[in-house]
Amino acid sequence: MIKVNNLSKGYNKEKILKDINLELSGGKIYGLAGSNASGKTTLIKCLTGIYKTDGGEVLFEGKAVYDNPKAKEKIGLIFDIHNFLPLKSVTGYAKYYAGFYDDFSFDKFNNLIDKFSVPKKSQVDQLSLGQRKKLQIALVMSRSIDYLIMDEPENGLDNESRELLRNILREASDNGMCVVLSSHDLVNIENMCDELILIDNGIIKFNGSVDDCLSNIQKWRVKGNKEDLKGFVVTEVLGNILTVLSKGDREENENTLRTKGLEIIDIEKVSVIDAYTFMRKEGGAND
């Protein structure tokens, strides 16, 4: 288990992460979601021991992850930027990579490369963006890691490769691996994950299952005036037609809307994007 206790981190006196508390355990896929500059990348670097925390702690199996090589050996990290040494073939790069990790399996690597249809004899600097992403995934997933953390996991991948990646991650999770997927694309996160961690402005807004995230939010299309909607979030205005988000008891919120003179046209399906929008703006009506 990776446990985060009261984590804070900042740069140049600006606090980026604020009192973060998390527990990440095996057998689950977590979606770390938030807008750009919400603190996702900083949190990833703290989780993997790249950054030393300013306050609080990140524990891997009860021991601090920072300056802990044994812990880091069990964590695989895939960033969205793929920097490879030039003038090496795909197979040659695997041999180079394996020199750093005793747990690297060429059988796993060749199997993944074949599944992703990456040409083994091609030079890595001649590969497309998507092929480089696949190579990076194959390299990291060919090790015996317990934790996998990916930044923007599906960037650069075509639909077929995205589906293949989802199957690979689900199989790894079913076999006990802890997978953390960081993205600003909340649609893909919703479809891929068991648990959601929604972060905004360095603060965890939600941490729990996808079902729990969505079960307490409602999305209404109503007709009327948007004024005096404290406690609701207005996300769209088309003339006198409003799209409104609410939280809590559905019947009570419906009665409140009707009491305010609003005609309810429809109740729409709620997405993670809707839940995140409400959590960011919770506290009053918004333009």
Side-chain angles (χ1 to χ4, degrees):
M1 174 184 291
I2 293 179
K3 191 169 184 179
V4 181
N5 297 320
N6 306 117
L7 167 64
S8 63
K9 179 64 181 176
Y11 313 103
N12 300 323
K13 298 183 179 180
E14 180 185 358
K15 214 169 191 180
I16 304 300
L17 299 178
K18 306 158 188 176
D19 196 30
I20 301 292
N21 291 280
L22 290 173
E23 289 187 3
L24 305 172
S25 54
K28 291 183 180 180
I29 300 179
Y30 295 86
L32 174 60
S35 58
N36 291 330
S38 61
K40 299 188 303 298
T41 301
T42 300
L43 180 54
I44 286 174
K45 291 182 177 180
C46 289
L47 289 175
T48 53
I50 296 173
Y51 285 167
K52 185 177 182 179
T53 66
D54 294 335
E57 58 187 359
V58 179
L59 302 177
F60 176 89
E61 307 300 345
K63 296 182 179 180
V65 71
Y66 184 77
D67 202 22
N68 185 345
K70 289 187 177 180
K72 294 179 182 180
E73 286 178 1
K74 292 299 181 180
I75 303 173
L77 176 60
I78 300 177
F79 274 120
D80 194 32
I81 300 173
H82 323 301
N83 293 319
F84 291 101
L85 294 174
L87 304 178
K88 283 188 179 293
S89 67
V90 168
T91 300
Y93 206 92
K95 293 177 181 178
Y96 170 79
Y97 187 86
F100 295 94
Y101 300 102
D102 293 336
D103 60 354
F104 186 85
S105 167
F106 282 97
D107 288 339
K108 288 182 182 178
F109 177 78
N110 289 323
N111 181 46
L112 288 169
I113 285 297
D114 288 342
K115 284 183 177 180
F116 278 127
S117 300
V118 177
K120 296 178 183 178
K121 295 182 179 180
S122 293
Q123 302 294 105
V124 292
D125 57 351
Q126 296 175 354
L127 297 177
S128 68
L129 176 64
Q131 288 175 326
R132 291 186 186 190
K133 183 66 167 278
K134 296 172 190 177
L135 173 57
Q136 191 180 25
I137 294 168
L139 289 169
V140 174
M141 294 293 289
S142 295
R143 296 177 49 222
S144 297
I145 55 176
D146 295 328
Y147 298 83
L148 174 66
I149 299 177
M150 296 185 68
D151 183 32
E152 301 297 348
E154 296 190 341
N155 274 9
L157 299 181
D158 57 34
N159 289 334
E160 183 178 352
S161 298
R162 289 183 178 193
E163 187 62 31
L164 176 57
L165 174 62
R166 293 179 185 186
N167 291 336
I168 290 170
L169 295 179
R170 176 52 61 191
E171 182 180 359
S173 172
D174 289 344
N175 288 328
M177 185 181 291
C178 173
V179 180
V180 180
L181 307 178
S182 173
S183 181
H184 69 279
D185 187 342
L186 276 74
V187 174
N188 285 333
I189 288 294
E190 179 178 354
N191 293 331
M192 295 175 70
C193 300
D194 307 308
E195 303 275 332
L196 283 173
I197 303 165
L198 302 182
I199 185 169
D200 182 57
N201 195 29
I203 298 171
I204 299 296
K205 294 288 189 177
F206 177 82
N207 180 15
S209 71
V210 175
D211 288 342
D212 285 346
C213 178
L214 302 181
S215 64
N216 208 28
I217 304 290
Q218 303 93 39
K219 185 177 183 179
W220 315 83
R221 286 182 68 242
V222 300
K223 183 177 181 181
N225 195 314
K226 73 172 184 175
E227 306 213 359
D228 192 26
L229 279 176
K230 186 177 180 181
F232 294 81
V233 171
V234 178
T235 61
E236 186 178 43
V237 180
L238 296 174
N240 63 346
I241 304 299
L242 315 176
T243 301
V244 179
L245 300 174
S246 60
K247 181 180 180 181
D249 184 80
R250 173 174 166 172
E251 184 175 346
E252 183 178 322
N253 288 327
E254 180 177 353
N255 290 336
T256 299
L257 290 170
R258 295 190 189 280
T259 299
K260 293 179 181 294
L262 295 165
E263 176 188 347
I264 297 174
I265 300 172
D266 195 11
I267 302 174
E268 300 183 349
K269 182 179 179 180
V270 178
S271 69
V272 170
I273 294 175
D274 297 321
Y276 184 67
T277 299
F278 186 89
M279 291 171 193
R280 290 187 70 193
K281 298 183 177 181
E282 188 173 4
N286 293 270
D287 294 330

